[in-house]
């Protein structure tokens, strides 16, 4: 197998794992309108494929960027709608894990100016 074939196989595997993770995380999300659920998945798929990028960079063109912002500012989309599936998936992970679970939280903050913390 060439390096290029191996890289493509690794990339395909990562995408398949990403799809499985995405399904598990948002599978229990409930939106009042089914179309909003479909749009939510599209937004997350694009952000997942461009981790660390801003919304404009992830969506690449103004039409898709505007659609993502429109979804996020839709009055029919609540924080609970967006996070509900993730909360349920997390609860399932905790329930399925025997013994203790270590929960980590990063509380790191960085100063906003170059003079450092005051």
């Amino acid at each position: 197998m060439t390096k290029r074939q191996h890289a493509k196989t690794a990339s395909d595997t990562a995408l398949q794992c990403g799809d499985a993770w995405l399904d598990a995380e948002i599978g229990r999300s409930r939106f009042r309108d089914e179309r909003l659920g479909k749009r939510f998945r599209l937004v997350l798929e694009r952000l997942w494929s461009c981790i660390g990028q801003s919304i404009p960079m992830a969506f690449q063109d103004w039409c898709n960027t505007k659609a993502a912002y429109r979804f996020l500012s839709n009055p029919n989309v609540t924080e609970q709608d967006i996070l509900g599936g993730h909360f349920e998936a997390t609860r399932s992970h905790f329930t399925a894990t025997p013994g203790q679970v270590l929960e980590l939280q990063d509380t790191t903050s960085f100063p906003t100016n170059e003079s450092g913390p005051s």
Side-chain angles (χ1 to χ4, degrees), residues 5 21-22 25 29 34 52 57 66 81 84 91 97:
Q5 289 170 326
W21 176 85
L22 191 60
E25 288 295 307
S29 294
E34 183 179 323
M57 291 302 292
K66 188 173 178 182
D81 295 335
R91 185 176 293 117
T97 304

Side-chain angles (χ1 to χ4, degrees), residues 31-33 35-36 39 67-79 81-82:
F31 289 87
R32 292 177 208 116
D33 185 332
R35 293 171 296 178
L36 292 173
R39 173 60 64 182
Y69 283 126
R70 200 170 40 242
F71 170 79
L72 293 170
S73 65
N74 186 326
N76 295 318
V77 175
T78 67
E79 181 179 353
D81 295 335
I82 291 173

